[in-house]
Amino acid sequence: MTTATAVSERPLLEVKGVTKRFGAVEALTDVDFEVHAGEVVALVGDNGAGKSTLIKAIAGIQPGDEYEATWDGEEVHLNTPQDATKLGIATVYQDLALSDNLDVVANLFLGKEQVEDGVTGVFRALDEIEMEQRSVELLRSLAVRTLRSVRTEVGSLSGGQRQTVAIARSMLGDPKIVVLDEPTAALGVAQTKQVLDLIRRLKDRGLGVVLISHNVLDVFEVSDRIIVLRLGKRVATFDTAKASQDEVVGAITGADQVR
């Protein structure tokens, strides 16, 4: 279980009353969600509970039909991905969106390539040296030691290493909140440990981390709070240090309501 650390009293991000409809289907109903700086919040629930819909609303990809949002106490809008990015929200989705035929450096800077100073015209040379140096510095700052070379093709990396690259890429924009969608899905024990260690380091850097996971063991390993969604509604919130796995599973499945 993660060790307790002090977090600010005011949430860095708080959304209230998030409702999202797809035709006649109401995927989210009046959902509140909050995350503080330096806190890992686990968002859990069964398939169809609304987890993906909520994080897409937070990321501005599928904004809520109804919602209120504040960032460090100030009212904000999350209507586009650019809104979320400007605030400092980075999301790493389960598919990772990595290019297997490119190396680590190229994947980290994909769409954000650096060009050499003084070069003008239609064809501009990439500043490979600068990008490589920044890649090494970024991975070192995150204490990533499992990559032998930043020039290794991503297609040859393990699942844990690929997840590390995706998370590191999200850090290039200097985010304040990182949302991780099922980061340990289909990973082995050693690879899962790598990712959980990286989540702890993000928290130690003062970032708010939102962890979406079906793995209750991983949730209890790194989270500070657990928010449970069921059928599109927020049904429970737990202080991880004071909760039991049975309580959380009961809230996920609805067994806590069975008498």
Side-chain angles (χ1 to χ4, degrees):
M1 184 179 296
T2 188
T3 56
T5 57
V7 296
S8 59
E9 293 183 4
R10 183 169 61 189
L12 180 56
L13 171 67
E14 184 174 21
V15 292
K16 292 183 177 181
V18 183
T19 297
K20 182 65 179 179
R21 303 177 187 87
F22 298 96
V25 177
E26 193 161 84
L28 294 174
T29 305
D30 199 26
V31 173
D32 296 343
F33 181 83
E34 66 285 331
V35 58
H36 299 74
E39 177 188 40
V40 179
V41 178
L43 182 63
V44 302
D46 207 349
N47 291 333
K51 304 184 302 297
S52 295
T53 304
L54 179 58
I55 65 170
K56 288 177 181 178
I58 291 172
I61 292 177
Q62 292 178 341
D65 298 321
E66 302 164 16
Y67 75 93
E68 295 178 2
T70 59
W71 181 268
D72 199 19
E74 299 292 329
E75 183 179 352
V76 296
H77 297 288
L78 295 169
N79 295 329
T80 67
Q82 291 76 18
D83 289 340
T85 300
K86 288 178 182 178
L87 288 173
I89 302 172
T91 305
V92 180
Y93 295 99
Q94 192 170 354
D95 63 6
L96 303 184
L98 298 175
S99 297
D100 289 348
N101 61 319
L102 300 179
D103 62 23
V104 173
V105 174
N107 269 280
L108 288 177
F109 284 91
L110 194 60
K112 303 177 182 177
E113 293 82 1
Q114 306 291 302
V115 296
E116 293 182 356
D117 292 335
V119 179
T120 59
V122 176
F123 300 102
R124 305 181 69 185
L126 296 179
D127 194 339
E128 295 285 355
I129 296 176
E130 173 67 16
M131 288 191 293
E132 181 171 333
Q133 289 176 342
R134 287 190 61 191
S135 297
V136 171
E137 292 170 0
L138 174 63
L139 294 170
R140 184 182 296 128
S141 72
L142 295 173
V144 175
R145 302 183 180 88
T146 58
L147 294 175
R148 293 186 177 181
S149 170
V150 293
R151 289 302 179 182
T152 302
E153 282 194 2
V154 164
S156 68
L157 299 180
S158 69
Q161 291 171 325
R162 290 167 60 86
Q163 188 69 238
T164 297
V165 172
I167 295 174
R169 182 174 60 187
S170 73
M171 297 299 294
L172 282 174
D174 193 26
K176 303 297 185 296
I177 291 175
V178 177
V179 182
L180 304 176
D181 187 8
E182 298 284 358
T184 60
L187 298 185
V189 174
Q191 297 172 354
T192 295
K193 183 179 184 302
Q194 293 173 14
V195 175
L196 296 181
D197 286 344
L198 181 52
I199 291 173
R200 293 188 186 94
R201 288 194 285 274
L202 295 179
K203 171 186 172 178
D204 291 341
R205 289 169 66 126
L207 275 69
V209 181
V210 180
L211 170 65
I212 295 88
S213 180
H214 280 92
N215 192 315
V216 176
L217 293 177
D218 292 348
V219 165
F220 272 81
E221 183 73 20
V222 296
S223 71
D224 299 296
R225 285 189 303 122
I226 303 170
I227 294 175
V228 182
L229 296 184
R230 187 169 70 243
L231 300 177
K233 298 180 180 180
R234 177 171 173 172
V235 296
T237 305
F238 297 96
D239 181 336
T240 308
K242 299 176 181 178
S244 70
Q245 293 185 24
D246 287 343
E247 288 176 315
V248 174
V249 172
I252 292 172
T253 62
D256 60 335
Q257 297 183 345
V258 177
R259 294 292 183 266

